[in-house]
Amino acid sequence: MPRTNAEYRSGATAPEYTLTRKRMRTIRLRVVPPTGELKVSAPHATSVARIDAFVASKTRWIAARRAEIEGMAPRLEHGVQAEACREELEAWLEDLLPHWCERFGVEQPHISLRIMRSQWGSCRAATQRITLNLELARRGHDMAEYVLVHELSHLLEMNHGPRFYALMDRHLPDWRERKARLGRL
């Protein structure tokens, strides 16, 4: 059951957070959009003082992530705007998908478009299915192209190892710059 650290406060200068104890080896933290809430997961045996110290040591990262979240557009919700994004992406994919499938030498996979909360796209190579986040329409054509190429690369190489990066480098040399511009959800 998540509990706030206010229940445990040991006088540390850690920002407020919600703590969840789990079977794990390390302490993890994340800043959750759109509110900027700080959530911490920690092993059962880790002391609150150690958790507070860890969170306090990450204060700059937390502030930077919260600033990044503040600058984000509101989340895409189902409705008129999501349908407009779907139409935009479908139009882009009419040209992008045949072009990139030919370059990769693969059959056109089944493409699904939907609102995704934690990733830009996903690939299931076994079923030849790629899912793209509708939010990509709000990020621009070149961002949608980058994610499509990334997912098509997974049809040939499922992990993010050297062969995967070699495919990305060969097919889309500026992919690192695009990835940096795209950022996180």
Side-chain angles (χ1 to χ4, degrees):
M1 176 85 176
R3 299 170 64 177
T4 64
N5 73 328
E7 297 173 50
Y8 303 109
R9 282 323 279 244
S10 60
T13 58
E16 286 294 317
Y17 59 86
T18 301
L19 175 62
T20 304
R21 300 287 188 155
K22 296 181 177 181
R23 281 189 54 193
M24 56 193 311
R25 293 181 183 200
T26 59
I27 302 170
R28 295 190 188 123
L29 61 95
R30 64 188 175 104
V31 178
V32 183
T35 63
E37 178 186 4
L38 183 60
K39 293 192 175 191
V40 177
S41 300
H44 293 285
T46 306
S47 72
V48 173
R50 184 165 177 212
I51 296 167
D52 280 348
F54 177 79
V55 172
S57 76
K58 301 296 182 185
T59 303
R60 283 188 182 170
W61 178 87
I62 294 164
R65 181 68 178 129
R66 284 179 170 161
E68 184 181 314
I69 288 170
E70 276 184 29
M72 294 172 131
R75 283 186 163 182
L76 185 62
E77 300 295 338
H78 294 281
V80 175
Q81 190 176 21
E83 288 311 308
C85 288
R86 179 180 306 282
E87 290 174 14
E88 187 81 24
L89 270 176
E90 285 172 347
W92 293 344
L93 288 170
E94 283 180 25
D95 295 327
L96 289 173
L97 193 56
H99 168 78
W100 284 107
C101 287
E102 182 180 328
R103 290 214 31 212
F104 274 93
V106 297
E107 299 262 337
Q108 284 194 25
H110 178 270
I111 301 284
S112 297
L113 305 174
R114 66 183 186 92
I115 295 172
M116 301 170 79
R117 297 294 181 206
S118 62
Q119 54 191 359
W120 294 112
S122 66
C123 175
R124 298 219 184 265
T127 58
Q128 297 288 294
R129 294 174 109 30
I130 289 176
T131 303
L132 299 175
N133 192 333
L134 284 174
E135 178 70 32
L136 288 167
R138 295 181 3 178
R139 300 301 174 110
H141 183 275
D142 59 335
M143 298 297 107
E145 182 178 40
Y146 155 67
V147 174
L148 176 64
V149 170
H150 180 108
E151 301 309 335
L152 287 170
S153 294
H154 280 310
L155 291 175
L156 302 173
E157 187 62 40
M158 279 308 295
N159 62 37
H160 288 124
R163 289 179 47 190
F164 173 84
Y165 292 119
L167 282 169
M168 291 296 293
D169 288 338
R170 182 172 59 230
H171 292 291
L172 198 66
D174 69 339
W175 71 269
R176 287 177 179 84
E177 182 270 327
R178 292 189 199 202
K179 179 182 179 182
R181 280 192 296 131
L182 181 58
R184 292 182 274 196
L185 278 174

